[in-house]
Amino acid sequence: MRAAVEGLLGGPIGAEQAAEAGFTHSIASVVTGRCGRRLFVKAAAPGDAVEAGIVLAAVTGEIGPRLAGSAAVGDWRVAAYEVIEGETLTRWQAADLPELLRVVRRMRELLDPSPIAGTSPYAQAFLPLLGAWQAWEHTADHPPLPVDLPVALLAELERRWLTALAGGGALQHGDLRRDNVIRQPDGRLRIVDWTHRWTAPGWMDLVRLAPDLAACGHDPEQVLRRSCWRDAPAGDVNVALAGLAGRAWRDGHLPDLPGLRRMQREQGLHLLRWLDRRLRVCS
């Protein structure tokens, strides 16, 4: 692995700064060569997610990181990217929202329809993670909900998941949240950690991002209405919110991995609050 990275750097490694956050077992480090060159290195075994990032770097254009090179070492796959100067977002600021909407529009232009083959439907990939609301539909033995929504209603929305979401053909990031966004010194945003070859309705990435925006005090409904996806079918968006919320609220109350569970509870809270407001408007 070290020899592979040195080959991508063009010389010996002088220093490594590992990423401080993340929920997967992989290498994610800024590596500096003795010659002064800096690269962001992502590596894992098995290397499916890293390989996906290598493929997607060719189509994400200026919204993603620029691939400098890649290598295979046994079961490991290594990708090296040019370092994006800036800071990883820790909080969404109001000034970020116009730029976020520009990036979302650019994603639509570049990725809808998917410019690559060999994709799989996000709705199908996520399907095994569903079922929380249907499992809780006839029992009170579940974590109390932060909103006054009937579990039976949430279960009905959850049952419509494949019907509502299986048809979209836009390439997805699949894990949009602030720790996968870098703010450059000029305020421009770049999205990193592209690890999935999923397709879905183009608005799905923005809906998945919604709880992260809401946790920072922003109204996800207003962001959606201001975006290029303002015409997203209301019923299908509600189905997506119910499915995502069920998985997050259930898994967020599991006893292990406290950092991940805290994030999932936060996601579930804001997904349910947004869905509650949308359903009240329609009632």
Side-chain angles (χ1 to χ4, degrees):
M1 283 288 295
R2 186 178 187 91
V5 173
E6 289 177 341
L8 295 170
L9 270 175
I13 296 171
E16 175 190 3
Q17 181 180 354
E20 296 180 358
F23 299 106
T24 58
H25 295 290
S26 63
I27 293 171
S29 299
V30 174
V31 177
T32 304
R34 293 179 189 170
C35 60
R37 188 182 187 193
R38 299 168 67 230
L39 293 174
F40 177 77
V41 174
K42 190 72 180 285
D48 294 349
V50 176
E51 179 63 32
I54 294 167
V55 172
L56 295 174
V59 298
T60 54
E62 77 283 358
I63 61 175
R66 179 178 176 275
L67 184 69
S70 62
V73 182
D75 292 336
W76 285 76
R77 199 72 167 98
V78 186
Y81 299 90
E82 299 293 344
V83 173
I84 300 173
E85 301 299 340
E87 59 179 352
T88 301
L89 264 62
T90 56
R91 187 167 184 83
W92 289 100
Q93 306 292 339
D96 294 321
L97 299 187
E99 171 63 6
L100 172 63
L101 295 177
R102 184 197 69 80
V103 170
V104 170
R105 184 176 68 252
R106 190 69 178 125
M107 289 174 68
R108 184 172 189 172
E109 293 167 354
L110 291 171
L111 307 179
D112 188 13
S114 172
I116 65 168
T119 60
S120 58
Y122 166 76
Q124 193 69 48
F126 196 83
L127 191 62
L129 302 177
L130 295 180
W133 303 126
Q134 294 169 74
W136 294 339
E137 188 172 5
H138 303 295
T139 178
D141 186 20
H142 58 76
L145 301 188
V147 295
D148 188 21
L149 283 175
V151 173
L153 173 60
L154 295 169
E156 178 57 32
L157 289 170
E158 187 179 55
R159 276 189 281 268
R160 292 167 47 199
W161 176 267
L162 281 180
T163 302
L165 303 178
L171 192 63
Q172 301 284 293
H173 180 278
D175 196 20
L176 272 188
R177 57 178 193 264
R178 74 197 89 148
D179 60 337
N180 283 332
V181 180
I182 296 176
R183 183 193 295 120
Q184 296 180 277
D186 62 0
R188 292 173 72 87
L189 301 178
R190 302 275 292 276
I191 299 172
V192 299
D193 206 21
W194 296 78
T195 58
H196 303 292
R197 284 179 270 198
W198 286 336
T199 53
W203 46 263
M204 190 65 182
D205 260 337
L206 184 56
V207 168
R208 283 180 58 90
L209 178 61
D212 201 55
L213 295 167
C216 297
H218 305 292
D219 183 349
E221 185 68 26
Q222 289 301 314
V223 173
L224 179 61
R225 290 180 181 179
R226 290 171 56 196
S227 79
C228 62
W229 294 111
R230 62 182 65 86
D231 59 348
D236 293 352
V237 171
N238 292 343
V239 168
L241 292 174
L244 294 170
R247 182 274 177 105
W249 197 246
R250 177 197 62 209
D251 290 3
H253 289 84
L254 295 175
D256 59 342
L257 304 172
L260 175 61
R261 303 312 177 198
R262 184 168 53 252
M263 182 192 75
Q264 289 171 329
R265 289 194 300 274
E266 180 182 74
Q267 288 180 336
L269 169 67
H270 291 293
L271 287 163
L272 286 167
R273 284 179 174 173
W274 186 18
L275 178 59
D276 184 46
R277 291 199 304 272
R278 288 176 59 90
L279 293 176
R280 290 180 187 279
V281 169
C282 295
S283 62

